[in-house]
Amino acid sequence: LAAVGLAVGRQQARQQRRAQDGPGLASVSQTDSYFLAERSVAWWAVAASLFASNIGSEHFIGLAGSAARSGVAVGWYEVGAIPVILLTGFFFLPTYLNAAVQTTPDYLEARYSRYSRTLIVCVSLALYVFSKISATLFAGQLILVQLIHVDKFVAVVLLVVFTAIYTVLGGLEAVIYTEALQTVILLIGGVMVIFFSFGEVGGWSALLDELSDLAGEGRIQGDFMHFMRPTSDPDNPWTGLVFGLFSIAPWYWGVDQVIVQRALAGRNVAHGQLGCVAAAMLKFLPFFIMVVPGLCARVLISRRISPAEDAAFDFDLAYPWLVLNVIPKNFRGIIVASMLSSLMSALASVFNSSATLFSLNIWKQVFPDTPEHRLVLVGRITVVVMAVLSLLWLPVMHLLGDSLFLIMQQPPAYMAPPIFAIFFWGMVSHRPNSRGGNWALSLGIGFGAVRFVLVVVEHILSGGEPVNMFGPITGINFLHFAF
């Protein structure tokens, strides 16, 4: 995968040199080439890139682990994203293209002010560190330690280095076309896991029967197979999944640079929209290749451990457990490759988008005369800095809860809703002005930041135990807080 990325990067560099050497040929800037792949990506590559950018190793670990721990409701995060992806293609994308922007914060400056643009960039970079990059590294660490028995530190360093190589040297075009290959590997591995898992359990009917037996024994909750849970459910209340999730998902798919950058790189609006439609179709698959294996893992693990051991078992290890205990040895390499490919694609996406945001929206604003080749260098340095900051956050991250998937959802839940709100209302109405947008953004993000800091302090002081030190400010479910 790294070799494919480097090959695309070298081809891209040769094209840039020919354009510079030939008079009148440099019609595409180096920044458009590096950060937006010259806006020349076909719809199928846009779709594969959108899907692979979203599905990282944290989904293999987190989705399967949450399903094994608390049931099928976590699948709503995947199914609920489908209409939002279509909204991105047919609402957000045409708006960005009509505004002729390189990044989503560019639109915010044109609609509101430079202050709102800068604030969005800083918050986005912070969210990448606290959520996307760190969660991916944490999951990748678990995969390599459990399946290949690599030292934790060595595992993380290897993941960062190999992903950063083709991201730094190749730019977005290298990232997108390697993601297309990674999507194929990911799907092959996922289908193999569900095939062997069902074979071990005995099929869908046997799975439901054993889960029903476990519920009767009190080893799992009675609504384990229910999408809609009571409002008092600590993880997935139906009110949070219906209202709170749809305050976060439009930010992720329609505003966040990591995702939107792929659609903006399409050859034209039709390729971008068709890519979103295809990505929405692919989004059905994680439920079957990640959530359902998590359910199978719960049944198979329960066969081998006593009820007293349920509480002590780390269900975030459910997917690696399946690979080690269910998948035949001759097929394990393909499964590990699919998990690592998803990890590399997710990391590469965030790295490239971080470079884009910092270089074009912060560095270029402070130093407007910076030549384009220097902006590309700044972007590459940004990748390294983001990786280091995420590594420093890893020791704290595991204190924030038992479920990796829910841990990574929390920071966006605190910050994303006000960001989505000012984008949406700025697009559909002329009434919001720059002053109102600045105040709404500052207060919304500030309130969310306070909640996030208090949650972190609460968990650090308690050693990761679930306590409530700050009343309803930290006691309310994060999805309810988002709404």
Side-chain angles (χ1 to χ4, degrees), residues 110 284 343 401:
F284 280 105
L343 182 150

Side-chain angles (χ1 to χ4, degrees), residues 258-295:
V258 172
I259 297 298
V260 176
Q261 189 172 1
R262 275 101 191 109
L264 288 175
R267 291 175 183 172
N268 51 44
V269 66
H271 275 267
Q273 289 177 329
L274 189 56
C276 289
V277 172
M281 296 174 64
L282 289 173
K283 197 61 177 161
F284 280 105
L285 297 178
F287 179 84
F288 297 100
I289 64 176
M290 296 173 190
V291 175
V292 175
L295 303 177

Side-chain angles (χ1 to χ4, degrees), residues 112-130:
Y112 293 102
S113 66
R114 179 170 294 184
Y115 167 82
S116 60
R117 170 186 181 170
T118 304
L119 182 58
I120 286 291
V121 171
C122 294
V123 171
S124 296
L125 293 176
L127 287 176
Y128 296 163
V129 170
F130 292 130

Side-chain angles (χ1 to χ4, degrees), residues 148-315:
I148 310 180
H149 307 294
V150 179
D151 178 78
K152 287 184 178 182
F153 179 78
V154 174
V156 172
V157 171
L158 289 175
L159 294 172
V160 171
V161 169
F162 278 103
T163 306
I165 284 175
Y166 72 81
T167 306
V168 166
L169 297 181
L172 183 62
E173 188 172 10
V175 171
I176 285 180
Y177 284 104
T178 50
E179 285 176 341
L181 175 59
Q182 288 160 344
T183 298
V184 176
I185 299 173
L186 186 157
L187 294 178
I188 292 174
V191 170
M192 290 177 63
V193 170
I194 189 63
F195 175 80
F196 286 113
S197 297
F198 268 144
E200 188 73 14
V201 171
W204 180 253
S205 297
L207 174 65
L208 295 180
D209 290 341
E210 291 208 41
L211 288 174
S212 178
D213 292 340
L214 290 175
E217 297 170 8
R219 298 184 66 177
I220 61 174
Q221 57 208 68
D223 55 3
F224 195 82
M225 292 298 289
H226 293 183
F227 269 110
M228 296 298 169
R229 307 282 177 81
T231 57
S232 58
D233 189 276
D235 295 329
N236 300 297
W238 75 266
T239 44
L241 292 176
V242 171
F243 300 107
L245 180 60
F246 288 104
S247 300
I248 306 169
W251 162 80
Y252 180 88
W253 291 101
V255 174
D256 184 25
Q257 180 67 17
V258 172
I259 297 298
V260 176
Q261 189 172 1
R262 275 101 191 109
L264 288 175
R267 291 175 183 172
N268 51 44
V269 66
H271 275 267
Q273 289 177 329
L274 189 56
C276 289
V277 172
M281 296 174 64
L282 289 173
K283 197 61 177 161
F284 280 105
L285 297 178
F287 179 84
F288 297 100
I289 64 176
M290 296 173 190
V291 175
V292 175
L295 303 177
C296 294
R298 182 57 186 256
V299 167
L300 297 174
I301 291 170
S302 296
R303 291 178 183 176
R304 304 193 184 190
I305 65 175
S306 66
E309 296 174 298
D310 283 347
F313 191 87
D314 183 3
F315 285 102

Side-chain angles (χ1 to χ4, degrees), residues 402-475:
D402 296 327
S403 170
L404 173 63
F405 191 78
L406 296 183
I407 290 174
M408 62 179 282
Q409 303 300 324
Q410 292 183 35
Y414 305 145
M415 311 282 190
I419 299 175
F420 161 64
I422 66 166
F423 268 89
F424 179 78
W425 290 111
M427 291 176 176
V428 301
S429 174
H430 295 290
R431 293 180 63 86
N433 55 33
S434 61
R435 185 178 181 183
N438 292 344
W439 274 103
L441 196 60
S442 299
L443 292 175
I445 291 176
F447 190 41
V450 169
R451 156 86 183 216
F452 179 58
V453 171
L454 292 179
V455 167
V456 172
V457 170
E458 190 175 78
H459 283 81
I460 290 176
L461 294 179
S462 66
E465 294 298 324
V467 297
N468 183 8
M469 298 180 181
F470 302 102
I473 298 178
T474 57

